[in-house]
Amino acid sequence: MAPSYLNPHRLAPLTNPSYNIYLVPALLIFEAAFLSAIILKVPYTEIDWATYMVQVRKFLVDGERNYAKIDGPSGPCVYPAVFLYLYSALYSVTDQGQDIRTGQWIFAGVYLCVLATTMMCYWKVGAPPWLMVLLVGSKRLHSLFVLRLFNDCWAVACFWATVWLLQRRKWEAGALVWGAGVGIKMVLLLVAPALAFILVQGGGFFVGLFGGAAAVMLQVMTAVPFLDPKDGDAKMYFTRAFEFGRQFLYKWTVNWRFVSEETFLSKGFQVGLLILHVSILLVFIYAKWMTPSRLSSVPQFLRKFAVQEKGAADEDVSARVTPTFVMDAMLGSMAVGLLCARSLHYQFYAYLGWASPYLLWRSGGGVWWVLINWAVQEYAWLIFPQTELGSMLVVFELAIQVLSGLIAPPTDHIRPPTGPARRSKPKVG
């Protein structure tokens, strides 16, 4: 006979998604209080904020439009134009960047908004309450938002907003918000392959084409002040804002510390990671991301959606682009990109921390499997300075999450889960 504390009715608040209606608001209230305590009690740590403000001052006050001359104490501006517009607003409301405390309160608000959006995405796929608790358990995430003020916080806000919109079949809006996120930091390009398959299968070839074109046009339109040959330099702008060949410093790498510096800086290592990235993406495309269309090859996929369907959506295929499929594809694509990244810095945990619980859960490994792997990953990202063991654990856990996304069961059979818009009264007993 099972112990009384294992009675299903007693465990319902932790396992029944219906109880999320009580847990989610409680966790958000707790986080609001916790963030307030962090801001008031824990010293702020300067890393990139001062550099952001100097870069913004050169753009906003000095009128500089040449990206070669927009730099700061820790280096040049290597982010697209939306970043400068966003931090120009922050520059204005924080007394030219001097009022750090106001900035921290703003970032606390962003944290709560991203957390709420993430929880809504989890809720939409029927995640159990115990999984929601892990979303508030990361020390590193709290630090990135209210003690570091990284631009990654705003980019990840766009990422989760994109997932939320796609789950609700707002294809064009999702693509546009994703494009705004790319304009803050190009890390979001890592989910472009998954996004393309979601848009085309969910809304049709023309919707996918329009979504991609809108995201590109957003980059061009926001970059206009920096493209004018009189004041700016188009080549310099795109080279700096979207610098794919950027050479990273070995001492700051979080994921590849266990390889030698010579290997880390070598061209062969870079090319090898690129080949690995493309290879894993192809596996996901054929094994996971084309499954709503039930086609076996990319040429067949293109022929069906671009020619046979005349660019419109196939209703049967579109119906199989479920909220769970969206989560699987977007989070899986992000995990693949991070696994194969040439160098991850600590702020990149913003893109991983809230995705990991879901990916581990989807593998079907159970509560302890999720908890142990989540804890190991959190530990690895808290090590500073990073060690060989810590970096091995970072890569190992990313590999596990990529594998988890690959072996996750099909989503066709998953019924619309209990969520904010449709919920049943939880059984009490």
Side-chain angles (χ1 to χ4, degrees), residues 358-366 369-370 403-405 407-409:
Y358 175 82
L359 290 170
L360 293 168
W361 173 65
R362 279 287 285 137
S363 70
W369 164 261
V370 176
L403 182 60
S404 295
I407 67 174

Side-chain angles (χ1 to χ4, degrees), residues 278-306:
V278 173
S279 300
I280 298 176
L281 285 178
L282 287 173
V283 172
F284 269 84
I285 287 170
Y286 278 89
K288 307 295 290 188
W289 298 344
M290 286 200 307
T291 54
S293 68
R294 294 179 175 170
L295 297 174
S296 58
S297 71
V298 172
Q300 288 180 350
F301 183 91
L302 293 174
R303 186 161 54 249
K304 173 180 174 60
F305 288 97

Side-chain angles (χ1 to χ4, degrees), residues 30 98 116 186 188 201 204 207 258 261 350:
F30 167 80
Q98 300 303 307
M186 69 173 188
L188 293 199
Q201 293 175 107
V207 166
F258 62 91
E261 185 171 7

Side-chain angles (χ1 to χ4, degrees), residues 163-379:
V163 175
W164 185 85
L165 288 166
L166 295 175
Q167 285 185 322
R168 286 150 183 81
R169 311 183 74 78
K170 307 295 184 182
W171 313 120
E172 295 89 344
L176 198 59
V177 171
W178 171 77
V182 172
I184 298 171
K185 197 163 186 176
M186 69 173 188
V187 175
L188 293 199
L189 287 174
L190 294 177
V191 300
L195 178 63
F197 280 92
I198 291 170
L199 292 177
V200 170
Q201 293 175 107
F205 183 78
F206 285 154
V207 166
L209 191 63
F210 173 80
V216 171
M217 284 303 300
L218 179 63
Q219 307 309 316
V220 174
M221 291 171 62
T222 54
V224 166
F226 309 99
L227 307 182
D228 186 350
K230 187 192 325 187
D231 300 314
D233 184 325
K235 181 179 179 180
M236 180 57 65
Y237 171 79
F238 287 110
T239 299
R240 282 281 172 84
F242 299 95
E243 190 175 359
F244 294 98
R246 183 180 174 192
Q247 187 70 283
F248 296 96
L249 294 176
Y250 178 72
K251 69 177 182 178
W252 294 122
T253 186
V254 175
N255 54 333
W256 297 117
R257 193 72 180 181
F258 62 91
V259 304
S260 68
E261 185 171 7
E262 181 182 4
T263 299
F264 177 80
L265 296 174
S266 69
K267 189 71 174 179
F269 185 67
Q270 179 184 0
V271 173
L273 287 175
L274 178 61
I275 293 173
L276 179 64
H277 191 179
V278 173
S279 300
I280 298 176
L281 285 178
L282 287 173
V283 172
F284 269 84
I285 287 170
Y286 278 89
K288 307 295 290 188
W289 298 344
M290 286 200 307
T291 54
S293 68
R294 294 179 175 170
L295 297 174
S296 58
S297 71
V298 172
Q300 288 180 350
F301 183 91
L302 293 174
R303 186 161 54 249
K304 173 180 174 60
F305 288 97
V307 180
Q308 295 173 2
E309 299 297 330
K310 296 182 173 60
D314 182 313
E315 291 186 4
D316 291 335
V317 173
S318 181
R320 291 191 284 271
V321 182
T322 63
T324 302
F325 178 83
V326 169
M327 283 277 278
D328 285 358
M330 292 291 283
L331 274 58
S333 188
M334 179 63 78
V336 171
L338 294 177
L339 172 64
C340 302
R342 191 176 180 188
S343 182
L344 298 179
H345 296 174
Y346 286 100
Q347 58 264 42
F348 281 67
Y349 198 62
Y351 308 98
L352 181 63
W354 282 314
S356 299
Y358 175 82
L359 290 170
L360 293 168
W361 173 65
R362 279 287 285 137
S363 70
V367 177
W368 286 110
W369 164 261
V370 176
L371 291 177
I372 291 172
N373 282 285
W374 175 85
V376 169
Q377 175 174 269
E378 181 71 14
Y379 164 76

